[in-house]
């Protein structure tokens, strides 16, 4: 998953949250948005850790193919 995917998910959840009037559903949507933000932070931290690691080019390419690197 890429960073923009997390942003897209948050945008969709936000638009639904704005349309919902039920307080319980709004809470669930707000919580889902917070979790999405946390997942994005973990993803970015993982990307930075991989970039700092001394990894050979073949392994980096494999990580890209698997979607772990942008």
């Amino acid at each position: 998953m890429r960073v923009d995917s997390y942003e897209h998910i948050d945008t969709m959840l936000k638009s639904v949250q704005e349309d919902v009037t039920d307080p319980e559903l709004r809470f669930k949507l707000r919580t889902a948005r917070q979790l999405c933000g946390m997942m994005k932070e973990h993803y970015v931290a993982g990307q930075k850790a991989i970039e700092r690691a001394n990894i050979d080019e073949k392994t980096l390419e494999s990580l890209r193919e698997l979607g772990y690197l942008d």
Side-chain angles (χ1 to χ4, degrees):
M1 189 176 280
R2 299 171 60 102
V3 171
D4 57 342
S5 297
Y6 291 106
E7 293 168 359
H8 185 69
I9 291 168
D10 183 61
T11 300
M12 289 188 298
L13 289 171
K14 182 180 179 183
S15 70
V16 172
Q17 182 182 359
E18 291 170 351
D19 293 339
V20 171
T21 57
D22 182 299
E24 187 174 329
L25 293 176
R26 288 180 61 86
F27 171 78
K28 290 178 180 180
L29 288 165
R30 186 172 55 252
T31 302
R33 291 183 63 211
Q34 290 169 346
L35 289 171
C36 185
M38 182 187 70
M39 290 172 59
K40 177 184 170 185
E41 288 177 16
H42 287 154
Y43 175 80
V44 169
Q47 293 289 299
K48 289 179 181 177
I50 290 171
E51 288 172 6
R52 288 190 307 265
N54 186 16
I55 301 174
D56 63 274
E57 191 58 40
K58 184 177 178 182
T59 303
L60 286 173
E61 186 57 36
S62 294
L63 290 170
R64 283 186 196 95
E65 289 176 11
L66 293 170
Y68 291 109
L69 287 175
D70 292 333

